[in-house]
Amino acid sequence: MRTIVPGVRAWRHDLAGCLHSCAATLLEHRGVPALEALGSRWGFYYPPGDFRQEEYYLPCPPGVPLLSALAPFHRVSSRWHEPADARQGWADVRERVASGTPVAVAVDNFELPFRPAHQDVHANHLVIVYGFDDAAGTARVLDAVPPRFDGDLPLEVLAAARGSGNEARHERDMFFADSAIGHRWLEATVDGGTPGPPDPGVLARRLRRNLDGFAAPDDGEAYEGLSGLTAFLRDTEARLAAGEKIADELFVVAGGALATTALHADLLAHVGRTSGIPVLGELGRTVARVAHHWTALRILAALTRDGDVTAERLRRRHDALLGDTERALLRIESALPALDAEPDPPGAPAAPPPDPFPNHDRR
């Protein structure tokens, strides 16, 4: 049997990684516009010590599925499957693909010939599987992360990548090693229709929800909202000053925050262009400046590994990030009355779907 699921397309954002690329491909295949779904929410959420050394790590509140955390304003969800072994793992993936459903599978870059890390660096990565050829013994694999790959891969190669222990063996195995792959795979679901394009009125309601999330009080458990972000950054400074290694955790957590921020900035700019409302473009540029700080912070996080960055230098970058985040939030709040005054187009939803987060926040 040979099957290729039609309509599967690569999606890529320069400041996001394999998680958002794969999520976008799965969502757009089900008719959900990726930028609208993945870019609507902006916030911060991280339970202390929760991070895992995976390229697709995203902190989610208890009970919230990964895609629901990525796109809480759309009726989407997901489920991680953890098969017992390679045989069961491929049988499950093959069954879904044969039914016309692409899925995302976890892999080790070390085992993939098309990745620059092949036979060099272990890293827990995510790719799309959307076809197979039983006679040829191959699977059709899509990886939008450069260098892009969209082609057939021998099943034994894919099995090795999916079953890797992903153990760090040398100093180049950084950030995404020491997290076993375990043949895991991710299935996306879409519950009926999804909200229409985020016109100014719909976007204003989503922005207000985001502001509520940033205003979440510090409950002493998860780092949440602006107060939680501040506490997280200050804690990393103190831990670095005390001689603790914070590179992996800060690098991984900052990666998710960077992607969220950059996508939100792009969505604001996009709606500004399509609606002809200049203030949205200005808000997009303001949020993009925050993304710049997250990019720089990831670089500094990596440099702490060798002692090239002190806690004081890290604090200066944190101060800049927090300051511009506060300014962006204030500008968004000040723009809401003008957005609320914009009429919704016919057929626009009266309100966003129920918030899946107990306290509001996502990401």
Side-chain angles (χ1 to χ4, degrees):
M1 181 177 178
R2 181 178 185 274
T3 294
I4 301 294
V5 179
V8 175
R9 293 181 292 275
W11 192 95
R12 170 70 181 152
H13 189 284
D14 290 339
L15 297 181
C18 61
L19 170 60
H20 291 82
S21 292
C22 287
T25 292
L26 296 178
L27 292 176
E28 293 211 331
H29 183 261
R30 302 294 297 273
V32 181
L35 183 60
E36 296 167 14
L38 302 178
S40 287
R41 190 175 179 284
W42 184 34
F44 186 81
Y45 176 87
Y46 174 61
D50 174 71
F51 95 103
R52 298 177 300 279
Q53 293 185 222
E54 303 161 348
E55 285 190 47
Y56 46 86
Y57 169 73
L58 183 82
C60 303
V64 178
L66 181 59
L67 286 191
S68 299
L70 280 169
F73 299 117
H74 290 64
R75 294 183 177 91
V76 302
S77 187
S78 61
R79 178 187 173 193
W80 276 110
H81 295 265
E82 300 183 3
D85 52 34
R87 181 187 295 273
Q88 187 62 52
W90 174 245
D92 292 345
V93 168
R94 183 188 180 282
E95 179 183 9
R96 289 298 191 279
V97 173
S99 72
T101 304
V103 302
V105 302
V107 291
D108 181 357
N109 281 336
F110 185 89
E111 302 289 350
L112 297 177
F114 57 83
R115 296 301 305 167
H118 182 231
Q119 298 298 306
D120 183 28
V121 173
H122 290 278
N124 202 323
H125 187 55
L126 201 65
V127 298
I128 298 292
V129 174
Y130 70 103
F132 60 84
D133 187 328
D134 290 334
T138 60
R140 178 63 57 88
V141 173
L142 171 63
D143 185 3
V145 176
R148 174 176 160 173
F149 177 81
D150 187 0
D152 296 325
L153 196 67
L155 286 177
E156 61 269 22
V157 174
L158 181 61
R162 296 186 63 204
S164 170
N166 195 38
E167 301 94 347
R169 299 182 184 276
H170 51 63
E171 63 181 9
R172 294 190 303 281
D173 290 321
M174 297 185 291
F175 306 123
F176 305 120
D178 283 331
S179 177
I181 310 299
H183 302 283
R184 285 173 292 166
W185 60 283
L186 184 72
E187 182 178 21
T189 58
V190 176
D191 182 15
T194 60
D199 62 86
V202 170
L203 183 59
R205 291 191 286 271
R206 296 176 184 177
L207 293 178
R208 188 167 283 107
R209 292 257 297 275
N210 291 342
L211 291 175
D212 290 343
F214 270 111
D218 184 1
D219 61 7
E221 296 181 5
Y223 297 112
E224 185 172 5
L226 186 58
S227 63
L229 172 59
T230 303
F232 170 67
L233 297 178
R234 297 307 183 215
D235 287 349
T236 60
E237 297 159 13
R239 290 163 54 198
L240 181 61
E244 187 177 340
K245 294 185 181 300
I246 54 98
D248 290 346
E249 182 179 22
L250 184 55
F251 185 88
V252 172
V253 174
L258 166 61
T260 300
T261 306
L263 285 163
H264 190 59
D266 281 4
L267 178 65
L268 290 171
H270 169 70
V271 180
R273 287 192 299 271
T274 56
S275 65
I277 301 177
V279 68
L280 286 173
E282 296 168 8
L283 294 179
R285 288 189 291 274
T286 302
V287 175
R289 182 175 176 83
V290 181
H292 157 80
H293 292 304
W294 281 114
T295 302
L297 181 54
R298 293 194 91 199
I299 295 171
L300 292 186
L303 293 175
T304 65
R305 185 185 290 272
D306 298 322
D308 293 335
V309 171
T310 64
E312 178 56 34
R313 184 178 175 191
L314 197 61
R315 185 181 184 88
R316 291 196 296 271
R317 175 54 63 184
H318 290 170
D319 287 345
L321 187 156
L322 290 169
D324 278 338
T325 300
E326 289 187 59
R327 280 185 281 275
L329 295 174
L330 288 172
R331 291 182 181 180
I332 290 172
E333 185 173 20
S334 67
L336 285 177
L339 297 179
D340 286 333
E342 291 289 332
D344 289 343
D355 193 342
F357 287 81
N359 214 5
H360 135 269
D361 204 31
R362 146 183 99 111
R363 202 73 99 278

